């Protein structure tokens, strides 16, 4: 069987070609606005990340993890951050490169699979920006461990996380049949067929124990969080949170001068 990471890269490439919301790069005007201090970015579908979560971005070494597409990293580059982005979708990588060339800033762009050890040195970054993407990964705890490794002491991890509610029903409109958790199409052939029929790639549910507990186990201290909805659909209409954003800090004093 083809590995699920490659299935998801191909699926996301197709979504980008169809005009996927999370694959549309920012405009030149949005980049200029960011340089002038008018900006916001999203970790989850609708709520902008509070600016105080970032601190001063000028000179900060920022990793966009599964953050390709030319949406967030151009904003951070406009604010003076030293940016690196890692993504597994070739089309998201292309969009990232296109915006950087259009606006004339430097950024290190790598195609990589975040389920593997990250291709970075220990303590290489001051901040990791990790929008909702753990739903495309079967095991999340190793990702948090790698994030902790590549952050400097005192570094910040910002995550967008799916809380699992989107995986409850086999048919969201009818809401007649509940899935059994975990939702895992690698282990469950019926769940795999459902995703294939919808063209949704390979997606996985995760508990808060895995996602928040996994950050704590890796060596992070949770400082802030907020919840968010899908922005559309039945759960959004009933104001049911389906995502959360977290801010966590790697324990230990920051390196001198950081």
């Amino acid at each position: 069987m083809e590995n699920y990471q490659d299935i998801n890269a191909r699926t996301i490439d197709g979504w980008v070609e169809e005009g996927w919301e999370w694959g549309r790069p920012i405009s030149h005007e949005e980049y200029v606005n960011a340089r002038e201090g008018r900006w916001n970015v999203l970790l989850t579908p609708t709520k902008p990340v509070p600016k105080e979560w970032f601190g001063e971005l000028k000179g900060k070494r920022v990793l966009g993890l599964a953050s390709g597409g030319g949406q967030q990293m151009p904003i951070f580059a406009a604010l003076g951050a030293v940016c690196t982005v890692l993504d597994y979708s070739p089309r998201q990588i292309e969009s990232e490169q296109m915006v950087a060339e259009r606006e004339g800033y430097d950024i290190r762009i790598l195609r990589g699979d975040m389920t593997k050890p990250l291709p970075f040195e220990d303590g290489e970054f001051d901040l990791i920006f990790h929008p909702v993407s753990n739903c495309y990964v079967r095991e999340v705890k190793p990702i948090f461990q790698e994030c902790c490794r590549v952050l400097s002491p005192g570094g910040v991890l910002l995550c967008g996380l799916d809380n699992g509610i989107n995986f409850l029903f086999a048919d969201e409109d009818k809401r007649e049949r509940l899935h059994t958790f975990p939702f895992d199409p690698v282990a469950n052939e019926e769940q795999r067929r459902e995703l294939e029929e919808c063209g949704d790639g390979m997606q996985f549910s995760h508990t808060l124990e895995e996602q928040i507990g996994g950050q704590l186990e890796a060596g992070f201290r949770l400082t802030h969080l907020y919840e968010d909805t899908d922005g559309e659909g039945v759960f959004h209409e009933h104001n049911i949170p389906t995502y959360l954003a977290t801010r966590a800090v790697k324990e230990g004093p920051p390196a001198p001068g950081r």
Side-chain angles (χ1 to χ4, degrees):
M1 183 181 74
E2 182 182 13
N3 71 63
Y4 75 81
Q5 299 96 322
D6 289 333
I7 293 171
N8 283 337
R10 186 174 63 251
T11 299
I12 290 171
D13 282 353
W15 293 346
V16 172
E17 291 173 5
E18 295 167 1
W20 187 43
E21 178 181 1
W22 308 112
R24 294 196 296 266
I26 67 168
S27 67
H28 172 67
E29 290 72 22
E30 289 172 297
Y31 178 80
V32 171
N33 285 341
R35 293 197 65 175
E36 296 174 351
R38 302 187 301 276
W39 61 280
N40 63 66
V41 292
L42 298 171
L43 280 167
T44 57
T46 75
K47 292 185 180 179
V49 183
K51 290 185 173 63
E52 57 268 26
W53 281 25
F54 295 93
E56 174 61 54
L57 277 163
K58 187 174 182 179
K60 192 164 286 185
R61 303 167 299 170
V62 175
L63 170 62
L65 183 61
S67 187
Q71 294 191 339
Q72 302 98 15
M73 304 312 291
I75 300 293
F76 303 146
L79 295 167
V82 179
C83 294
T84 299
V85 63
L86 183 142
D87 203 288
Y88 202 47
S89 159
R91 290 302 303 269
Q92 293 285 73
I93 291 292
E94 289 173 11
S95 294
E96 200 70 55
Q97 187 67 52
M98 180 275 292
V99 178
E101 292 175 355
R102 186 187 72 199
E103 305 301 344
Y105 59 82
D106 292 328
I107 181 172
R108 179 170 47 157
I109 301 173
L110 295 87
R111 182 173 188 241
D113 178 358
M114 68 179 176
T115 68
K116 305 292 192 298
L118 297 178
F120 308 114
E121 300 295 327
D122 295 358
E124 189 169 335
F125 299 101
D126 304 306
L127 185 144
I128 296 175
F129 190 85
H130 182 42
V132 174
S133 54
N134 279 359
C135 53
Y136 303 110
V137 172
R138 195 179 189 202
E139 299 289 340
V140 297
K141 287 187 177 182
I143 296 172
F144 298 131
Q145 292 163 3
E146 278 293 283
C147 286
C148 194
R149 179 185 67 80
V150 304
L151 276 171
S152 62
V156 174
L157 172 64
L158 305 182
C159 291
L161 306 170
D162 186 310
N163 68 13
I165 290 176
N166 280 313
F167 294 95
L168 278 177
F169 297 108
D171 186 323
E172 183 179 306
D173 294 325
K174 294 180 180 178
R175 303 191 294 283
E176 294 174 348
R177 183 166 62 86
L178 285 170
H179 284 130
T180 298
F181 277 22
F183 190 93
D184 181 352
V186 170
N188 187 310
E189 183 62 31
E190 181 180 356
Q191 293 174 352
R192 180 186 175 95
R193 286 196 301 271
E194 288 179 19
L195 291 174
E196 288 174 344
E197 289 170 4
C198 297
D200 285 340
M202 297 282 279
Q203 299 191 39
F204 305 85
S205 69
H206 296 293
T207 63
L208 296 185
E209 182 177 337
E210 291 175 273
Q211 299 196 97
I212 294 180
Q215 292 183 53
L216 300 177
E217 289 173 17
F220 289 101
R221 174 174 55 86
L222 190 68
T223 65
H224 301 80
L225 64 80
Y226 61 84
E227 294 181 301
D228 199 3
T229 69
D230 288 301
E232 60 182 6
V234 66
F235 293 131
H236 174 72
E237 292 165 4
H238 289 77
N239 198 33
I240 297 172
T242 47
Y243 297 93
L244 68 158
T246 59
R247 180 186 187 273
V249 176
K250 178 177 177 176
E251 295 285 23
R258 302 311 307 176

